[in-house]
Amino acid sequence: MSAINYRIKLQRLEGMVKLKHKTSRRLAPREVQLLRRYARDIVSYIQDQWPVDTGTSRAAWTYGVETVEGSYAINLENRMWYSSYVHYRGSPKAPGRHGKWLTPAVYEEVVPEAWDKYRDRLYGDMLQEIERTEAEMAKRQRMGLVQVAQTFEDIFHPWQAVL
């Protein structure tokens, strides 16, 4: 293992959508935007806590969000080949073990710490946005407005059931 791929599965968010919408659905554009904002905040927190020698592995942190129907996640990634081996300066090594660390790598502590910091706010804000989206969808349905397709999948998805 060298590069870091850390997936935060948002099962609680999936449950919120199913509770409000009565079934799973893709996230609306504003919901995706909010989720991306929180992913950026998490990466920023990780970068602030990351030890710096040259700054290369700190700058290599990126994120992606997964918002397909029924599967929501934040994917954190650091592609530097040595990023999973980064430790704080002065971290103890086992004597005679040729560099075996006694302490966990930095990402093993910092990434869960970042998620713990933003988790409750993310779910609270996402619940408000989901409720707003559901209210707008119900209003459109009552008024008989046809929803404008946002992507090709919005057009193609109903036809998949026929095929």
Side-chain angles (χ1 to χ4, degrees):
M1 184 170 97
S2 52
I4 299 168
N5 293 309
Y6 198 98
R7 186 168 194 256
I8 301 171
K9 185 143 174 56
L10 304 172
Q11 293 174 324
R12 190 167 145 196
L13 182 60
E14 294 168 18
M16 285 191 265
V17 169
K18 284 181 183 177
L19 180 68
K20 298 292 180 182
H21 192 66
K22 308 296 187 241
T23 184
S24 62
R25 66 169 171 81
R26 291 177 50 185
L27 291 180
R30 284 196 325 238
E31 295 166 345
V32 173
Q33 186 178 13
L34 182 62
L35 191 58
R36 285 183 193 279
R37 190 189 86 203
Y38 273 101
R40 265 193 316 271
D41 291 346
I42 290 169
V43 167
S44 178
Y45 181 85
I46 292 168
Q47 288 175 330
D48 288 345
Q49 303 301 315
W50 201 254
V52 178
D53 189 15
T54 63
T56 306
S57 65
R58 173 190 261 184
W61 278 101
T62 61
Y63 69 90
V65 294
E66 185 178 313
T67 60
V68 295
E69 186 174 326
S71 177
Y72 311 130
I74 297 174
N75 299 310
L76 304 173
E77 187 175 78
N78 191 320
R79 290 191 178 187
M80 286 308 299
W81 64 271
Y82 58 85
S83 59
S84 65
Y85 302 112
V86 172
H87 285 76
Y88 290 113
R89 179 172 284 153
S91 296
K93 292 183 182 180
R97 297 285 300 181
H98 305 291
K100 294 284 183 175
W101 295 95
L102 291 174
T103 57
V106 172
Y107 85 94
E108 293 176 293
E109 295 176 348
V110 172
V111 174
E113 184 180 302
W115 173 236
D116 286 343
K117 179 176 179 172
Y118 290 101
R119 175 184 39 221
D120 294 334
R121 279 189 279 165
L122 179 140
Y123 284 132
D125 290 348
M126 286 299 291
L127 180 59
Q128 289 177 346
E129 194 60 45
I130 289 167
E131 289 172 346
R132 183 179 301 133
T133 301
E134 291 298 323
E136 286 178 7
M137 289 170 68
K139 182 180 175 184
R140 286 182 188 157
Q141 199 171 31
R142 282 193 306 270
M143 294 175 69
L145 294 176
V146 177
Q147 184 172 350
V148 176
Q150 298 282 331
T151 64
F152 175 74
E153 284 186 23
D154 293 338
I155 298 167
F156 186 68
H157 185 68
W159 291 98
Q160 286 179 323
V162 176
L163 301 175

